[in-house]
Structures are given as structure tokens and as C-alpha cells.
Amino acid sequence: PWLIESLGEFDLDPCCPPGMPWRTARRMLTLRENGLLTTWSGRVFLNPPYSQMRDWIERLANHGNGIALLFARTDTHAFHQFVWPRASAILFIRGRLRFFRLDGTVSRQLPNVSAVLVAYDAPFSTANADSLIRICSRGCVLRLR
């Protein structure tokens, strides 16, 4: 929740788990609505199922307005195709994130990979990249454009 709050308001979370205990965006879609096939509008928060990361990050890159929470697997084909050449900024998060369970409790298990926040800004805007810079005490921001 601290991450969402620190980044500001989002209009859409296209891949929210059912029963999410807090709001991530004004419009929250679950697997039932299939966020990959629905219309996206506004500022998007994306925490994709990592088994389908490529499809989701391609969609956000094409949408061009939002922030994605991804594993820092910077060597992957998807990163080289949809992040490095198209994102506005990346926040390399210091340490490992703790994920929450749907009942609101913190998981004790840490992921085995670091995380990044990837910003995509609409033309002539830097709102998402600026959001990352505002919370850069949580890591290191790399501006790409």
C-alpha cells in the first residue's frame, strides 16, 4: 500500500487480484474482466502476473501512460524490447519488496529478485517519471528520456 500511496492516484489497474484489500486505482480489473482485452484510459498502475510479463508490459508501453512494478530482470528480451527503448524512467528499488497477502498481512517470504518501477509518460508529460523521482529515497532513478 505504501508504494501505491507514494506514487499518486491511478485511473486503472488492469490486472488486480480478486478480493484486493485496498484500492490501487479508480478502476480495478481482475482476471474475470481480462485487462489485456479491455480498453485502457488514463494513468495505469501495472503489477502484472510475471508469467505473462511480456504481454502486459507491451500493452503498457503502447498505452504510454503509467507505472509498472516488475522484477529487475534487465537482461530479458521483453526488457530490451519494451522497457529500455520506450520507458521514461526506471526506479531500481533498494532491497527486496515485501508482498502482501490478500488478507492484508505481510508475507514473510522475500522474492528472490529485486524489483523496479518502470514509468511510461504520455508525449509532452513527465508525470510518471516525476513520481519515481519523488520517491527516489527508496532506490536509484535512471531517466531514459
Side-chain angles (χ1 to χ4, degrees), residues 22-42:
W22 58 82
R23 304 262 344 140
T24 54
R26 286 185 190 101
R27 182 175 170 220
M28 297 165 50
L29 304 177
T30 65
L31 182 61
R32 186 175 46 240
E33 291 94 6
N34 194 346
L36 278 175
L37 299 179
T38 61
T39 302
W40 289 16
S41 62

mmCIF file of all heavy atoms in Angstrom, residues 22-42:
data_model
loop_
_atom_site.group_PDB
_atom_site.id
_atom_site.type_symbol
_atom_site.label_atom_id
_atom_site.label_comp_id
_atom_site.label_asym_id
_atom_site.label_seq_id
_atom_site.Cartn_x
_atom_site.Cartn_y
_atom_site.Cartn_z
ATOM 1 N N TRP A 22 -7.136 -3.250 -0.601
ATOM 2 C CA TRP A 22 -7.021 -1.794 -0.699
ATOM 3 C C TRP A 22 -7.138 -1.382 -2.159
ATOM 4 O O TRP A 22 -6.965 -2.168 -3.068
ATOM 5 C CB TRP A 22 -5.700 -1.286 -0.097
ATOM 6 C CG TRP A 22 -4.492 -1.892 -0.735
ATOM 7 C CD1 TRP A 22 -3.890 -1.501 -1.896
ATOM 8 C CD2 TRP A 22 -3.766 -3.021 -0.276
ATOM 9 N NE1 TRP A 22 -2.834 -2.320 -2.190
ATOM 10 C CE2 TRP A 22 -2.728 -3.258 -1.202
ATOM 11 C CE3 TRP A 22 -3.881 -3.857 0.832
ATOM 12 C CZ2 TRP A 22 -1.822 -4.296 -1.052
ATOM 13 C CZ3 TRP A 22 -2.968 -4.892 0.967
ATOM 14 C CH2 TRP A 22 -1.960 -5.094 0.039
ATOM 15 N N ARG A 23 -7.432 -0.122 -2.385
ATOM 16 C CA ARG A 23 -7.584 0.413 -3.738
ATOM 17 C C ARG A 23 -6.218 0.667 -4.355
ATOM 18 O O ARG A 23 -5.338 1.221 -3.716
ATOM 19 C CB ARG A 23 -8.371 1.724 -3.729
ATOM 20 C CG ARG A 23 -9.706 1.633 -3.086
ATOM 21 C CD ARG A 23 -10.938 1.460 -3.902
ATOM 22 N NE ARG A 23 -10.964 1.702 -5.296
ATOM 23 C CZ ARG A 23 -11.628 0.918 -6.142
ATOM 24 N NH1 ARG A 23 -12.268 -0.144 -5.702
ATOM 25 N NH2 ARG A 23 -11.676 1.186 -7.416
ATOM 26 N N THR A 24 -6.075 0.247 -5.585
ATOM 27 C CA THR A 24 -4.869 0.541 -6.348
ATOM 28 C C THR A 24 -5.146 1.583 -7.431
ATOM 29 O O THR A 24 -4.227 2.245 -7.901
ATOM 30 C CB THR A 24 -4.310 -0.730 -7.004
ATOM 31 O OG1 THR A 24 -5.348 -1.342 -7.784
ATOM 32 C CG2 THR A 24 -3.804 -1.702 -5.954
ATOM 33 N N ALA A 25 -6.404 1.698 -7.822
ATOM 34 C CA ALA A 25 -6.795 2.638 -8.881
ATOM 35 C C ALA A 25 -8.305 2.862 -8.806
ATOM 36 O O ALA A 25 -9.019 2.115 -8.142
ATOM 37 C CB ALA A 25 -6.415 2.079 -10.256
ATOM 38 N N ARG A 26 -8.774 3.869 -9.524
ATOM 39 C CA ARG A 26 -10.222 4.127 -9.567
ATOM 40 C C ARG A 26 -10.970 2.935 -10.172
ATOM 41 O O ARG A 26 -12.031 2.562 -9.711
ATOM 42 C CB ARG A 26 -10.505 5.377 -10.395
ATOM 43 C CG ARG A 26 -10.134 6.651 -9.697
ATOM 44 C CD ARG A 26 -10.549 7.875 -10.524
ATOM 45 N NE ARG A 26 -9.957 9.057 -9.926
ATOM 46 C CZ ARG A 26 -8.870 9.654 -10.382
ATOM 47 N NH1 ARG A 26 -8.278 9.212 -11.474
ATOM 48 N NH2 ARG A 26 -8.379 10.705 -9.769
ATOM 49 N N ARG A 27 -10.384 2.353 -11.227
ATOM 50 C CA ARG A 27 -10.984 1.186 -11.898
ATOM 51 C C ARG A 27 -10.011 0.020 -11.749
ATOM 52 O O ARG A 27 -8.859 0.112 -12.180
ATOM 53 C CB ARG A 27 -11.203 1.521 -13.369
ATOM 54 C CG ARG A 27 -11.851 0.430 -14.174
ATOM 55 C CD ARG A 27 -12.134 0.940 -15.592
ATOM 56 N NE ARG A 27 -12.536 -0.145 -16.447
ATOM 57 C CZ ARG A 27 -12.150 -0.282 -17.714
ATOM 58 N NH1 ARG A 27 -11.370 0.619 -18.265
ATOM 59 N NH2 ARG A 27 -12.560 -1.288 -18.423
ATOM 60 N N MET A 28 -10.473 -1.046 -11.120
ATOM 61 C CA MET A 28 -9.628 -2.212 -10.863
ATOM 62 C C MET A 28 -10.221 -3.425 -11.563
ATOM 63 O O MET A 28 -11.349 -3.806 -11.285
ATOM 64 C CB MET A 28 -9.518 -2.441 -9.349
ATOM 65 C CG MET A 28 -8.853 -1.281 -8.632
ATOM 66 S SD MET A 28 -9.051 -1.249 -6.825
ATOM 67 C CE MET A 28 -8.588 -2.868 -6.321
ATOM 68 N N LEU A 29 -9.460 -4.013 -12.496
ATOM 69 C CA LEU A 29 -9.919 -5.167 -13.256
ATOM 70 C C LEU A 29 -9.246 -6.432 -12.749
ATOM 71 O O LEU A 29 -8.057 -6.426 -12.445
ATOM 72 C CB LEU A 29 -9.594 -4.995 -14.746
ATOM 73 C CG LEU A 29 -10.125 -3.740 -15.424
ATOM 74 C CD1 LEU A 29 -9.655 -3.688 -16.871
ATOM 75 C CD2 LEU A 29 -11.640 -3.684 -15.333
ATOM 76 N N THR A 30 -10.003 -7.509 -12.681
ATOM 77 C CA THR A 30 -9.457 -8.800 -12.271
ATOM 78 C C THR A 30 -9.346 -9.711 -13.491
ATOM 79 O O THR A 30 -9.713 -9.322 -14.609
ATOM 80 C CB THR A 30 -10.363 -9.463 -11.209
ATOM 81 O OG1 THR A 30 -11.621 -9.756 -11.805
ATOM 82 C CG2 THR A 30 -10.536 -8.579 -9.986
ATOM 83 N N LEU A 31 -8.893 -10.923 -13.268
ATOM 84 C CA LEU A 31 -8.767 -11.896 -14.340
ATOM 85 C C LEU A 31 -10.093 -12.090 -15.077
ATOM 86 O O LEU A 31 -10.134 -12.271 -16.287
ATOM 87 C CB LEU A 31 -8.287 -13.232 -13.756
ATOM 88 C CG LEU A 31 -8.043 -14.375 -14.715
ATOM 89 C CD1 LEU A 31 -6.966 -14.015 -15.724
ATOM 90 C CD2 LEU A 31 -7.651 -15.621 -13.953
ATOM 91 N N ARG A 32 -11.176 -11.975 -14.345
ATOM 92 C CA ARG A 32 -12.512 -12.153 -14.936
ATOM 93 C C ARG A 32 -12.773 -11.132 -16.054
ATOM 94 O O ARG A 32 -13.364 -11.443 -17.068
ATOM 95 C CB ARG A 32 -13.564 -12.040 -13.832
ATOM 96 C CG ARG A 32 -14.961 -12.338 -14.268
ATOM 97 C CD ARG A 32 -15.970 -12.344 -13.115
ATOM 98 N NE ARG A 32 -15.817 -11.205 -12.217
ATOM 99 C CZ ARG A 32 -15.550 -11.302 -10.905
ATOM 100 N NH1 ARG A 32 -15.408 -12.476 -10.340
ATOM 101 N NH2 ARG A 32 -15.436 -10.239 -10.161
ATOM 102 N N GLU A 33 -12.310 -9.891 -15.882
ATOM 103 C CA GLU A 33 -12.522 -8.854 -16.909
ATOM 104 C C GLU A 33 -11.459 -8.874 -18.009
ATOM 105 O O GLU A 33 -11.602 -8.183 -19.002
ATOM 106 C CB GLU A 33 -12.547 -7.455 -16.270
ATOM 107 C CG GLU A 33 -13.742 -7.188 -15.401
ATOM 108 C CD GLU A 33 -13.499 -7.484 -13.933
ATOM 109 O OE1 GLU A 33 -12.355 -7.801 -13.540
ATOM 110 O OE2 GLU A 33 -14.458 -7.416 -13.164
ATOM 111 N N ASN A 34 -10.378 -9.613 -17.806
ATOM 112 C CA ASN A 34 -9.265 -9.718 -18.751
ATOM 113 C C ASN A 34 -8.759 -8.349 -19.204
ATOM 114 O O ASN A 34 -9.078 -7.878 -20.295
ATOM 115 C CB ASN A 34 -9.624 -10.582 -19.955
ATOM 116 C CG ASN A 34 -8.378 -10.959 -20.745
ATOM 117 O OD1 ASN A 34 -7.311 -10.390 -20.572
ATOM 118 N ND2 ASN A 34 -8.519 -11.942 -21.613
ATOM 119 N N GLY A 35 -7.944 -7.742 -18.364
ATOM 120 C CA GLY A 35 -7.397 -6.418 -18.620
ATOM 121 C C GLY A 35 -6.588 -6.289 -19.893
ATOM 122 O O GLY A 35 -6.423 -5.180 -20.410
ATOM 123 N N LEU A 36 -6.077 -7.375 -20.430
ATOM 124 C CA LEU A 36 -5.346 -7.286 -21.696
ATOM 125 C C LEU A 36 -6.289 -6.993 -22.864
ATOM 126 O O LEU A 36 -5.868 -6.419 -23.865
ATOM 127 C CB LEU A 36 -4.584 -8.586 -21.990
ATOM 128 C CG LEU A 36 -3.244 -8.755 -21.297
ATOM 129 C CD1 LEU A 36 -2.665 -10.133 -21.579
ATOM 130 C CD2 LEU A 36 -2.263 -7.667 -21.723
ATOM 131 N N LEU A 37 -7.557 -7.367 -22.732
ATOM 132 C CA LEU A 37 -8.503 -7.198 -23.835
ATOM 133 C C LEU A 37 -9.424 -5.992 -23.675
ATOM 134 O O LEU A 37 -10.146 -5.658 -24.607
ATOM 135 C CB LEU A 37 -9.356 -8.468 -23.993
ATOM 136 C CG LEU A 37 -8.581 -9.743 -24.310
ATOM 137 C CD1 LEU A 37 -9.537 -10.930 -24.413
ATOM 138 C CD2 LEU A 37 -7.765 -9.591 -25.583
ATOM 139 N N THR A 38 -9.412 -5.342 -22.517
ATOM 140 C CA THR A 38 -10.305 -4.208 -22.296
ATOM 141 C C THR A 38 -9.637 -2.906 -22.728
ATOM 142 O O THR A 38 -8.425 -2.846 -22.934
ATOM 143 C CB THR A 38 -10.709 -4.092 -20.813
ATOM 144 O OG1 THR A 38 -9.535 -3.895 -20.040
ATOM 145 C CG2 THR A 38 -11.442 -5.326 -20.342
ATOM 146 N N THR A 39 -10.433 -1.872 -22.843
ATOM 147 C CA THR A 39 -9.923 -0.550 -23.189
ATOM 148 C C THR A 39 -9.239 0.070 -21.985
ATOM 149 O O THR A 39 -9.769 0.031 -20.883
ATOM 150 C CB THR A 39 -11.088 0.364 -23.643
ATOM 151 O OG1 THR A 39 -11.736 -0.261 -24.755
ATOM 152 C CG2 THR A 39 -10.586 1.731 -24.032
ATOM 153 N N TRP A 40 -8.059 0.640 -22.210
ATOM 154 C CA TRP A 40 -7.328 1.327 -21.151
ATOM 155 C C TRP A 40 -7.468 2.829 -21.369
ATOM 156 O O TRP A 40 -7.425 3.309 -22.504
ATOM 157 C CB TRP A 40 -5.857 0.971 -21.182
ATOM 158 C CG TRP A 40 -5.518 -0.423 -20.763
ATOM 159 C CD1 TRP A 40 -6.372 -1.481 -20.644
ATOM 160 C CD2 TRP A 40 -4.223 -0.911 -20.434
ATOM 161 N NE1 TRP A 40 -5.682 -2.592 -20.247
ATOM 162 C CE2 TRP A 40 -4.356 -2.281 -20.114
ATOM 163 C CE3 TRP A 40 -2.964 -0.340 -20.380
ATOM 164 C CZ2 TRP A 40 -3.274 -3.070 -19.742
ATOM 165 C CZ3 TRP A 40 -1.880 -1.126 -20.011
ATOM 166 C CH2 TRP A 40 -2.042 -2.478 -19.682
ATOM 167 N N SER A 41 -7.587 3.547 -20.263
ATOM 168 C CA SER A 41 -7.581 5.005 -20.340
ATOM 169 C C SER A 41 -6.945 5.552 -19.080
ATOM 170 O O SER A 41 -6.975 4.920 -18.026
ATOM 171 C CB SER A 41 -9.000 5.552 -20.516
ATOM 172 O OG SER A 41 -9.795 5.204 -19.405
ATOM 173 N N GLY A 42 -6.344 6.726 -19.197
ATOM 174 C CA GLY A 42 -5.757 7.396 -18.049
ATOM 175 C C GLY A 42 -4.441 6.785 -17.606
ATOM 176 O O GLY A 42 -3.773 6.059 -18.336
#
